[in-house]
Amino acid sequence: KFMNIDLKPYQEKAVNQLIETTLKLLGYDGPGEVCVFQAPTGSGKTIMIAKYIEALIKEFPKEDFCFVWMSIGKGELHLQSKHSLEKVFAGFPRVTSVENAFSGGRERIVQNEVVVANWEKLRSKERESGDWKNLVMKDGEKLNFRDVLEKTKEQRKIILIIDESHVSADTARANELRDLIGADIVIEMSATPRRPQQELGFTQELARGGAGYVIVEPKDVIDEGMIKKEIIINEDIEKIAASEEDSQSAVLEAAYRKRVELKKAFEKEGSDINPLVLVQIPTAEAGDQKIDAVKKFLAGKNIVERKDGHGNGKLAIWLAEQKSELIYWIAEPDNEIEFLIFKQAIDTGWDCPRAHILVKFRETHNIVFEIQTVGRILRMPEQRHYGNEMLNRGYIYTNLKSIEVKKEEYNPNII
């Protein structure tokens, strides 16, 4: 499905602009020219960057490039990026992870290689001594990753790609990273850029040509059928009951019914998509009771986990301390999992286009809907809109009495 992906027109345009900008920036002296690449959640950022890397290698064989892809943020997100890149590249260029490739013995990143790493893991230092914690960075008898970067720069240009879509505020980290790596070109990918073009210094840089800005417009992404047209909160819920338990089951019941309705609608369209409900549990202490309550409600509908061969596997749980079997197939379009229970941890960059409904329970503190969580149900499962408008919308059910939606300057205000 991924092979020789046909890029959507807006994706192709972005790739071409990235290449033009890179060539322009390579013309300047000194390292570290920055190009901000701003594209909304669900627009296919990884695919665009992958195609950009392919095109640079193909079109400029005389230039000696290598690439470092850094995720900022917790977890194993960089491995998901590695997986996506490998799918697109199908064998060339080679994608390696820092942990596997540079734990000793290798001197340089080779030509065209794409090295994937997680900045949180690399950057941690011992509190007392200030030494690097990560083996890959430590001084020792073997070359560490910092030495490898220095040696690589003697021979070839490094293009650093910073994937920071979900930590837009973290300027300090990005700067630290840029200084450490000293790449020739830095591409900062973001859905919520932290430096608007108006920012004075940046505008001057742009005018002088020392920086670049490539933008994908949300409208183009919607028009191409990549993301949903709108997200609706509490559709047809007459009343959120006063008591916690009643309101909880009202919300779950509504989500359950909507899922059944969506599944039928997909079948009518001739599509085998099995729509998924995400149930987000508050991180507070009461979380475990909540999980039990949700499990109990779903068990009444014959939706249960698969454990050691028992159960139908229509429910899955994704928590730091507990992951259901078979969770890794969840993104497949017709996977049998119907409900996924998770806490906060899932919401960075996790990609499952069949996720269609989000259930969100009351938190103790004031809640603002972040586009990042909503982003989980923004994508269209087959990258197209359907004849039935019901399928072109995402649904949120919640027992919050008042909901404040964070105004997104950049993402279309579709909630």
Side-chain angles (χ1 to χ4, degrees):
K1 196 164 161 191
F2 257 90
M3 294 340 317
N4 314 324
I5 302 150
D6 292 330
L7 293 184
K8 304 271 185 181
Y10 75 80
Q11 292 175 323
E12 205 161 307
K13 185 176 141 201
V15 170
N16 291 335
Q17 286 177 332
L18 283 168
I19 290 170
E20 281 163 31
T21 308
T22 302
L23 292 180
K24 190 178 81 182
L25 297 180
L26 283 170
Y28 296 100
D29 292 336
E33 272 87 22
V34 175
C35 171
V36 173
F37 175 41
Q38 180 182 336
T41 304
S43 59
K45 284 197 284 294
T46 309
I47 285 174
M48 289 184 269
I49 291 283
K51 286 293 176 188
Y52 153 78
I53 290 173
E54 278 184 351
L56 268 187
I57 290 172
K58 220 193 269 116
E59 290 176 38
F60 307 99
K62 289 197 176 64
E63 290 281 0
D64 189 340
F65 292 123
C66 68
F67 305 86
V68 176
W69 176 297
M70 273 291 174
S71 305
I72 297 186
K74 299 183 179 37
E76 300 294 319
L77 194 57
H78 61 301
L79 296 180
Q80 189 177 332
S81 304
K82 178 175 187 280
H83 183 64
S84 309
L85 289 168
E86 284 170 334
K87 251 177 160 172
V88 179
F89 292 153
F92 180 82
R94 185 166 73 149
V95 188
T96 48
S97 71
V98 162
E99 296 94 325
N100 293 346
F102 298 97
S103 42
R106 279 193 57 186
E107 283 204 350
R108 291 186 174 87
I109 302 173
V110 297
Q111 184 170 2
N112 300 335
E113 184 177 7
V114 182
V115 178
V116 177
N118 176 308
W119 183 228
E120 299 307 307
K121 288 191 171 167
L122 283 189
R123 73 191 283 275
S124 54
K125 293 184 174 178
E126 302 290 354
R127 200 162 278 152
E128 289 75 49
S129 60
D131 294 334
W132 299 93
K133 271 189 196 169
N134 194 310
L135 275 176
V136 175
M137 302 290 273
K138 270 195 178 120
D139 293 318
E141 52 279 18
K142 295 186 172 151
L143 285 181
N144 63 40
F145 189 53
R146 302 189 329 266
D147 302 329
V148 169
L149 290 167
E150 288 312 313
K151 280 212 168 316
T152 301
K153 278 183 280 195
E154 293 164 11
Q155 284 195 351
R156 59 185 52 92
K157 295 187 168 76
I158 296 180
I159 294 183
L160 168 63
I161 295 151
I162 302 182
D163 180 2
E164 46 87 58
S165 46
H166 49 287
V167 221
S168 50
D170 218 338
T171 325
R173 296 217 168 148
N175 292 345
E176 178 191 5
L177 179 52
R178 285 209 296 269
D179 296 345
L180 178 90
I181 292 186
D184 295 80
I185 302 282
V186 179
I187 309 260
E188 284 189 24
M189 291 159 62
S190 182
T192 43
R194 58 164 174 271
R195 28 168 156 214
Q197 286 163 290
Q198 307 75 293
E199 223 178 79
L200 199 67
F202 205 62
T203 320
Q204 288 166 347
E205 259 184 276
L206 269 175
R208 282 206 320 274
Y213 215 108
V214 174
I215 289 188
V216 170
E217 292 297 344
K219 186 179 176 309
D220 296 338
V221 182
I222 292 179
D223 289 350
E224 285 292 342
M226 295 286 281
I227 56 183
K228 300 196 169 82
K229 295 183 183 178
E230 53 188 2
I231 304 279
I232 299 173
I233 299 183
N234 283 355
E235 183 191 49
D236 298 341
I237 281 196
E238 264 41 80
K239 58 175 194 308
I240 289 297
S243 91
E244 184 82 11
E245 254 139 69
D246 294 353
S247 74
Q248 218 165 268
S249 22
V251 163
L252 285 166
E253 182 65 42
Y256 171 79
R257 287 183 188 172
K258 178 54 78 178
R259 205 202 79 79
V260 172
E261 204 183 337
L262 289 169
K263 179 83 180 83
K264 286 192 180 126
F266 274 119
E267 283 163 11
K268 263 215 175 90
E269 298 271 340
S271 170
D272 63 354
I273 299 293
N274 188 26
L276 175 69
V277 181
L278 301 178
V279 182
Q280 184 170 18
I281 300 291
T283 38
E285 297 308 296
D288 294 339
Q289 295 164 320
K290 278 272 190 298
I291 292 174
D292 292 338
V294 174
K295 278 169 126 177
K296 193 175 153 194
F297 174 88
L298 291 172
K301 308 276 188 193
N302 193 25
I303 295 169
V304 292
E305 270 186 291
R306 175 165 307 152
K307 276 266 160 49
D308 313 319
H310 299 290
N312 56 21
K314 291 183 176 182
L315 167 64
I317 295 187
W318 182 312
L319 308 169
E321 60 280 4
Q322 176 194 6
K323 289 190 175 67
S324 303
E325 300 171 29
L326 304 177
I327 192 87
Y328 293 104
W329 304 104
I330 193 165
E332 300 295 327
D334 55 354
N335 177 275
E336 73 266 21
I337 298 172
E338 297 176 0
F339 281 75
L340 175 69
I341 296 176
F342 73 102
K343 284 189 184 173
Q344 262 53 19
I346 202 173
D347 68 4
T348 40
W350 179 74
D351 203 4
C352 179
R354 71 184 182 94
H356 213 121
I357 299 171
L358 173 68
V359 172
K360 204 165 167 56
F361 292 124
R362 188 151 45 227
E363 299 262 4
T364 41
H365 51 273
N366 180 23
I367 179 85
V368 174
F369 267 103
E370 296 285 347
I371 199 81
Q372 205 55 49
T373 311
V374 173
R376 300 288 64 87
I377 57 168
L378 261 183
R379 293 165 202 267
M380 291 302 296
E382 300 177 283
Q383 303 195 342
R384 64 186 179 94
H385 291 141
Y386 299 92
N388 184 343
E389 285 297 340
M390 181 204 300
L391 297 173
N392 303 329
R393 302 187 175 114
Y395 302 89
I396 294 175
Y397 295 100
T398 178
N399 61 353
L400 302 167
K401 282 271 198 311
S402 60
I403 299 163
E404 180 193 344
V405 176
K406 193 173 179 189
K407 177 98 178 70
E408 276 293 318
E409 295 309 317
Y410 173 57
N411 268 296
N413 204 5
I414 59 176
I415 298 178

